Amino acid sequence: MNNPWTTYDYTRTNQVHPQDQDAFDEFNAKIEKSKNKNAFKLKLSSNNTALPYFGSLDARLVILAANPGLDPVKTAQEETPELRRLFDLARRHDLAEDPFVFLRSEFKGTPGYSWWEKRTKQLRVAIGDEQFLNHTFSAEIHPYKSQNYRKLSTAMPTQQYTFDCVDRLVRSCAHVILVRAKQEWRD
């Protein structure tokens, strides 16, 4: 399958991939109509960088998560033009060195760096930073940020490419860590 993110324009205000727009809008419309008092936390953000995956396609370790988190105050630190460009290179698989983008030096001080540094510290000590940064792949069940996760009712078309990447790595005997959305990944 061709990578749908290679033709994606990350400089647009609307960060939703054109292929995903209908499913994205449908999901948010359902959330808006719900009577959930925290619906605003479940809505997907069209203003923030889409990040379906990052890391090495030759990974020996795959980390599977739900979707990128959104902190209404702190996420803006990761939305600079320079960091958006790095996210774009990650989506295109064009980061030859340290493709585990959130732990690159350019991200120090951002919420993503802090989150990943804290949660991978023991693993990085055990296998080494270089091994982790260059031989780990992280995938989200879908690429759009929200404060809280909710399972999608309709698949996003770009998800299939992410699933294909994960499938290829699993078939190559990469180790898998299911972090979130465990049932969705199993399905």
Side-chain angles (χ1 to χ4, degrees):
M1 176 175 199
N2 291 331
N3 182 349
W5 298 98
T6 60
T7 58
Y8 175 74
D9 180 3
Y10 74 94
T11 63
R12 299 175 351 171
T13 302
N14 178 5
Q15 290 290 297
V16 179
H17 193 291
Q19 291 179 19
D20 292 342
Q21 192 68 61
D22 289 343
F24 182 96
D25 292 342
E26 179 184 318
F27 178 85
N28 277 349
K30 283 182 182 179
I31 294 297
E32 286 175 7
K33 289 178 185 175
S34 75
K35 299 195 187 301
N36 187 326
K37 66 179 180 178
N38 291 317
F40 70 96
K41 290 184 177 183
L42 299 171
K43 282 187 69 175
L44 304 177
S45 172
S46 63
N47 300 323
N48 298 102
T49 301
L51 195 60
Y53 51 78
F54 54 92
S56 172
L57 284 178
D58 296 321
R60 303 308 308 146
L61 175 65
V62 178
I63 300 171
L64 302 177
N67 71 309
L70 173 64
D71 180 318
V73 175
K74 295 180 181 178
T75 297
Q77 296 171 9
E78 297 168 359
E79 298 291 332
T80 66
E82 297 80 18
L83 297 183
R84 279 190 174 195
R85 175 69 180 139
L86 285 173
F87 285 135
D88 186 57
L89 292 171
R91 284 187 298 264
R92 295 169 182 265
H93 308 294
D94 285 342
L95 288 175
E97 290 184 31
D98 300 339
F100 201 88
V101 70
F102 275 110
L103 292 179
R104 292 174 65 99
S105 61
E106 296 95 332
F107 282 85
K108 281 188 179 176
T110 68
Y113 184 93
S114 299
W115 195 92
W116 281 104
E117 181 187 44
K118 179 181 177 182
R119 284 162 181 82
T120 63
K121 186 175 184 175
Q122 290 179 330
L123 185 55
R124 288 183 291 111
V125 166
I127 67 173
D129 278 338
E130 189 279 331
Q131 182 73 10
F132 184 88
L133 294 173
N134 290 297
H135 301 286
T136 303
F137 185 81
S138 179
E140 305 286 351
I141 200 80
H142 74 78
Y144 303 105
K145 294 181 180 184
S146 63
Q147 290 181 54
N148 290 51
Y149 174 73
R150 171 71 55 95
K151 181 180 177 180
L152 296 175
S153 52
T154 304
M156 302 277 177
T158 62
Q159 285 177 286
Q160 190 56 54
Y161 179 75
T162 303
F163 298 157
D164 286 352
C165 290
V166 170
D167 185 57
R168 194 167 50 242
L169 289 167
V170 169
R171 289 178 189 277
S172 74
C173 298
H175 298 279
V176 176
I177 299 174
L178 276 166
V179 179
R180 296 185 62 220
K182 293 176 184 178
Q183 190 57 51
E184 288 92 324
W185 279 109
R186 288 185 179 116
D187 291 346

